[in-house]
């Protein structure tokens, strides 16, 4: 019986030790999977942030570009002595226009002019 008692204690001790060895291997695998999942999660977070930024840029209202307007020419003032000459030139052009209206054209000159006396 003396030999049976240590043997009965040795068997459960062997079982406990073997279980602990298996647990440590399982814990190593679990730790490795956890680090892989953390790395995937970080990559996914980065992709989500990039996508959110892209959506913000797309949704941002764009301001229409302002049409380019050519700069206005500076207003030049005409000296008073030239204003008089310009006025005379415009008056002469008006007179020429009146003269053209009163001078008969070739078609009007060829047409017979009615005489004041009846025939």
């Amino acid at each position: 019986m003396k030999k049976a008692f240590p043997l009965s204690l040795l068997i459960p001790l062997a079982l406990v030790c073997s279980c602990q060895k298996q647990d440590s291997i399982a814990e190593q695998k679990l730790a490795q999977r956890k680090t892989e999942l953390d790395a995937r999660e970080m990559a996914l977070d980065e992709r989500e942030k990039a996508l959110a930024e892209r959506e913000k840029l797309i949704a941002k209202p764009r301001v229409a570009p302002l049409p380019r307007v050519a700069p206005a020419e500076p207003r030049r003032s005409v000296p008073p002595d030239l204003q008089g000459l310009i006025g005379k030139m415009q008056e002469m052009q008006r007179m020429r226009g009146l003269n053209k209206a009163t001078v008969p054209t070739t078609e009007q000159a060829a047409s017979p002019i009615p005489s004041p006396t009846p025939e």
Side-chain angles (χ1 to χ4, degrees):
M1 182 95 180
K2 289 183 176 181
K3 289 184 178 179
F5 180 70
L7 188 61
S8 65
L9 288 178
L10 188 63
I11 292 175
L13 182 65
L15 288 174
V16 169
C17 288
S18 69
C19 287
Q20 285 181 350
K21 201 180 239 186
Q22 288 177 355
D23 286 344
S24 67
I25 292 173
E27 286 178 7
Q28 286 176 351
K29 286 183 179 180
L30 182 63
Q32 183 180 1
R33 287 188 72 188
K34 185 176 180 182
T35 55
E36 289 174 358
L37 287 175
D38 288 343
R40 283 184 182 176
E41 188 176 357
M42 289 176 68
L44 185 61
D45 286 342
E46 288 177 11
R47 287 178 65 190
E48 285 179 351
K49 286 179 185 177
L51 181 63
E53 279 185 41
R54 191 173 182 191
E55 287 176 351
K56 283 180 187 177
L57 290 176
I58 291 172
K60 189 182 267 188
R62 295 188 179 177
V63 178
L66 296 175
R68 292 190 173 215
V69 178
E73 290 186 25
R75 296 193 85 174
R76 299 178 186 159
S77 60
V78 179
D81 55 338
L82 289 180
Q83 284 181 352
L85 289 175
I86 291 172
K88 286 182 183 178
M89 187 169 58
Q90 288 173 347
E91 187 179 327
M92 288 175 62
Q93 287 174 347
R94 259 196 319 262
M95 292 301 289
R96 283 185 185 165
L98 291 175
N99 286 342
K100 285 182 182 177
T102 57
V103 175
T105 61
T106 55
E107 291 178 9
Q108 290 175 345
S111 66
I113 301 174
S115 61
T117 57
E119 294 181 11

